[in-house]
Amino acid sequence: MLARQFGQGLLVAAVAGLVMLAGLGRARLWDRDEPRNAGAAREMLQRGDWVVPTFNGQLRAHKPVLLYWCIMVAYQLLGVHELSARLPSALAAVFTVLCTWRMGRRLFGTTAGVWAGIILASSLLFVMAGRAATPDSLLILGTTLAMTCYVHGAFRPRFETTPPDTLPEWETPGAWFPQSLFPVVVLYAAMGLAVLAKGPVGYVLPMVVLGTFGLVLEVQRHLVACPVREEVWWQAAWHWLGAACQPRRVLRVFWQMRPVLGLFIVAAVALPWYLAVGFATHGEFLKVFFLEHHLGRATTVMEHHSGSLLFYPLAILVGFFPWSIFAIPLAIDTALQLTRRDRQHPGYLFAVCWILVYVVLFSLARTKLPSYVTPCYPALALLAGDYVDRWSRQAAAVAGRWLLAAFGCLALVGAALTVAIPLILREVAPGEEWLGLIGTIPLIGGVLCFVFAASRSFRSAAGMLGMAAVAFVALLFSVGAWRLDRHQQQHRLWQAVADRGHYAEVVSYRVLEPSWVFYWGRPIAEFGGGGGSAQLAGKFLHQRPERYLITTRDRVDELKPYLPPEVVVIEEVPYFMRGKQRLVLLGTAHPLVEVAQPHRPMAPAAPTPR
């Protein structure tokens, strides 16, 4: 049994490793968050400062320090480049997949756990988070690890001989929260890491999830002990809500979670750094971080990221692709499982509470981004993994024509991608239209799954779907992103500057991308669009010949009246993903021949696409 369990874990880890690590460092860092985070870690490492994050010489108070620490360690071990910047996120994603497998195994069965891990490892937005130098993957790991510790502390192990539809058993009958100290300590320590990864949401939202789950269980037990007469649905819902909102019951559930111990552990993990950065910046980091990037995002729309109440359901349909093809049958099946009177399955309730807390609370916030709800993707994978396991062995309540419709949707989406990708790349990356072949993977996979399901070969359909999903996301991010990146040509600007002088100083006028700062390896000041900026930029170039300025072609005319006569366009490249805009590098007409060893950009230039 241990050998089979080890084999299942190895399979899940191999799939996650393939998807997350294949070609991880081939593409350059994508603007804007990746170079900011990677650059902040490099600046901290150069200063020997493990407390205060800065980027481009300025305080970076957007995110806490955990990602920077991980990248700094990777830099020290592997060097400063794209792979080391993204590796912490990728490894965190692999561990998250393994945690999801362990939860699925204990809640729904051994095969369902394997499917949950594979589904999470091949869902679109989760893979994107795992392959990017952003803190999202670390936050997801912290949240999922906390939930895994809860499941392992609250429920008994499930073995290979346990029938797949057996209900999970509580570790301590009558107690929904773990009674052993060890899983509770690790649970709250994981929340502390999540707080270091992205702030208070790493503690507050998992607590709300667990509290909601415990409250629902308490209400169910109360209604079983004190049954009421049959009522219409709205009266029953009102009665249930009244039982859930009793302050005494809410406080009892909250106290069962050992909040004092939990708060102490979370504070022991996260508070020392928050205090240190507060003292080091005289409170400026804490002020900007909590008031602007937390309270501000909750109460106001920032950076034009708004949306309706349907924003996150629609975002999940896209972000959980290709497994979101089961959205409707999975929702119906889960609802049927929750309303069964003959067997109350806590696994479904736990996953649904996890999902709803994130979707509902972030839907109430004014600023909306698809990545905000990615910490609930492991719960989606748990439900989807159990559903795939059950319909593959013909035990699902909702299957039949629903499966055929889902596979038909997969084929239609694949056909749409096969047509749309070449049309988009014709404008963005000419010559890469062949990447539309990646869209044929869900197209062919959907057709074959449809054929298998129609002939009632459900296990073959499930296996084909899993292979198609893994192949699609792996090729999309490892090959597709790399080929698209080959059409970035900003490196020619840095090469032109590096060839001309060791002490070159670069600024920009009304345009600045974080990746420029990262790859140049030095701070880059920006002259904004206010009054007198063009005159100041011209004065900057006039003072010393070893100074250079980057701007767009359409803004050169604004600078011309203030430029010295010897300043010319040294290099001009397309502005990647910005239509027909072009970037220009302005500087003196003659190179600085007295400099023997010019400064070189920190990252090697990618080959120019043919």
Side-chain angles (χ1 to χ4, degrees):
M1 290 191 295
L2 288 178
R4 184 177 179 185
Q5 181 176 345
F6 177 79
Q8 291 176 343
L10 189 61
L11 171 64
V12 172
V15 170
L18 170 66
V19 173
M20 298 302 169
L21 299 175
L24 186 64
R26 299 179 76 179
R28 280 165 289 209
L29 301 179
W30 299 88
D31 284 308
R32 298 185 168 244
D33 289 337
E34 273 201 305
R36 284 172 175 163
N37 296 323
R42 185 187 62 196
E43 290 185 19
M44 294 176 69
L45 188 61
Q46 289 173 340
R47 299 194 316 270
D49 184 353
W50 292 73
V51 175
V52 181
T54 61
F55 177 71
N56 203 19
Q58 300 178 349
L59 178 67
R60 176 162 172 77
H62 293 65
K63 298 294 184 290
V65 77
L66 183 59
L67 176 65
Y68 308 137
W69 284 349
C70 294
I71 296 178
M72 291 166 71
V73 173
Y75 283 166
Q76 290 179 318
L77 296 176
L78 304 175
V80 181
H81 45 69
E82 293 87 348
L83 176 61
S84 52
R86 292 175 175 143
L87 188 59
S89 294
L91 294 179
V94 173
F95 282 115
T96 301
V97 169
L98 289 173
C99 288
T100 305
W101 162 62
R102 294 296 303 179
M103 280 191 291
R105 177 184 176 87
R106 187 156 293 201
L107 290 175
F108 299 107
T110 55
T111 306
V114 172
W115 274 115
I118 293 175
I119 288 171
L120 183 63
S122 55
S123 57
L124 202 61
L125 194 56
F126 177 78
V127 177
M128 184 180 297
R131 294 179 62 93
T134 63
D136 294 324
S137 188
L138 293 176
L139 172 66
I140 299 170
L141 174 60
T143 301
T144 309
L145 179 59
M147 298 302 179
T148 305
C149 292
Y150 167 76
V151 169
H152 276 248
F155 297 95
R156 291 180 179 176
R158 188 188 293 258
F159 302 101
E160 309 297 331
T161 56
T162 305
D165 292 321
T166 303
L167 292 177
E169 298 181 4
W170 296 99
E171 183 69 32
T172 303
W176 68 272
F177 199 76
Q179 301 300 296
S180 300
L181 183 62
F182 180 74
V184 175
V185 171
V186 180
L187 181 155
Y188 284 116
M191 291 186 189
L193 291 177
V195 172
L196 277 177
K198 213 165 182 180
V201 294
Y203 169 69
V204 174
L205 292 186
M207 287 289 288
V208 175
V209 170
L210 294 177
T212 303
F213 177 58
L215 182 61
V216 173
L217 291 175
E218 289 290 327
V219 172
Q220 286 181 341
R221 292 170 182 172
H222 167 74
L223 295 179
V224 170
C226 305
V228 297
R229 63 181 178 84
E230 292 294 331
E231 301 168 321
V232 294
W233 69 268
W234 64 267
Q235 290 177 325
W238 182 258
H239 181 82
W240 192 97
L241 186 62
C245 292
Q246 291 184 3
R248 182 178 299 178
R249 179 170 288 113
V250 174
L251 290 176
R252 182 169 64 249
V253 169
F254 178 68
W255 189 251
Q256 289 173 349
M257 297 169 64
R258 304 188 186 184
V260 177
L261 174 63
L263 192 60
F264 174 80
I265 295 173
V266 171
V269 173
L271 190 58
W273 174 79
Y274 280 95
L275 293 176
V277 75
F279 283 122
T281 61
H282 305 287
E284 182 65 20
F285 181 96
L286 302 180
K287 176 183 175 182
V288 175
F289 178 70
F290 287 108
L291 296 183
E292 179 178 341
H293 293 290
H294 279 76
L295 183 61
R297 290 180 182 272
T299 57
T300 61
V301 177
M302 296 183 64
E303 301 171 350
H304 309 289
H305 296 308
S306 61
S308 66
L309 293 178
L310 294 177
F311 179 87
Y312 286 114
L314 294 177
I316 289 175
L317 285 177
V318 177
F320 202 59
F321 183 81
W323 302 98
S324 55
I325 61 172
F326 297 121
I328 296 178
L330 177 59
I332 298 174
D333 185 85
T334 302
L336 292 177
Q337 296 294 334
L338 290 174
T339 55
R340 289 180 61 173
R341 295 181 179 273
D342 60 324
R343 59 194 299 270
Q344 297 295 323
H345 198 302
Y348 295 102
L349 182 60
F350 173 69
V352 169
C353 289
W354 188 347
I355 296 167
L356 288 181
V357 165
Y358 277 86
V359 172
V360 171
L361 292 184
F362 279 115
S363 293
L364 297 177
R366 297 294 303 278
T367 301
K368 293 179 173 63
L369 284 172
S371 60
Y372 286 174
V373 296
T374 46
C376 78
Y377 274 43
L380 289 167
L382 290 174
L383 293 178
D386 174 68
Y387 181 62
V388 171
D389 172 48
R390 284 187 292 111
W391 67 249
S392 66
R393 50 187 175 84
Q394 304 183 51
V398 180
R401 294 181 179 178
W402 284 108
L403 291 182
L404 297 179
F407 296 142
C409 288
L410 179 62
L412 289 176
V413 172
L417 291 175
T418 304
V419 175
I421 291 176
L423 294 177
I424 296 173
L425 294 182
R426 184 178 301 171
E427 299 294 330
V428 177
E432 305 295 346
E433 291 85 354
W434 64 272
L435 290 174
L437 294 175
I438 296 178
T440 63
I441 297 175
L443 170 59
I444 297 173
V447 171
L448 292 178
C449 288
F450 187 95
V451 172
F452 284 133
S455 61
R456 304 190 65 80
S457 298
F458 294 108
R459 293 189 184 276
S460 299
M464 175 56 62
L465 180 59
M467 290 188 291
V470 171
F472 173 71
V473 295
L475 290 176
L476 182 66
F477 287 101
S478 62
V479 177
W482 166 59
R483 296 295 301 188
L484 185 62
D485 172 73
R486 286 165 57 88
H487 291 260
Q488 295 197 63
Q489 299 185 43
Q490 288 94 321
H491 62 274
R492 288 166 48 189
L493 302 178
W494 313 124
Q495 193 66 41
V497 175
D499 289 341
R500 295 169 65 86
H502 183 64
Y503 298 103
E505 186 176 356
V506 179
V507 298
S508 66
Y509 176 70
R510 299 185 63 179
V511 58
L512 178 61
E513 297 292 350
S515 62
W516 303 351
V517 180
F518 179 79
Y519 285 111
W520 177 236
R522 297 179 182 180
I524 299 177
E526 179 184 9
F527 290 99
S533 295
Q535 185 176 1
L536 291 174
K539 183 179 179 181
F540 171 86
L541 290 177
H542 191 275
Q543 289 175 343
R544 289 207 306 267
E546 64 271 20
R547 288 182 168 182
Y548 300 88
L549 183 144
I550 300 175
T551 189
T552 55
R553 167 55 73 177
D554 57 355
R555 287 172 179 150
V556 173
D557 291 338
E558 301 176 20
L559 294 168
K560 278 185 178 179
Y562 310 104
L563 295 178
E566 63 272 16
V567 170
V568 297
V569 175
I570 296 174
E571 187 63 84
E572 183 172 352
V573 299
Y575 197 168
F576 185 63
M577 300 288 287
R578 298 300 177 93
K580 296 183 179 180
Q581 292 191 59
R582 299 183 67 83
L583 296 170
V584 296
L585 175 68
L586 302 178
T588 57
H590 303 289
L592 304 177
V593 296
E594 69 273 12
V595 179
Q597 296 182 345
H599 166 73
R600 298 288 177 182
M602 57 139 296
T608 303
R610 298 178 180 178

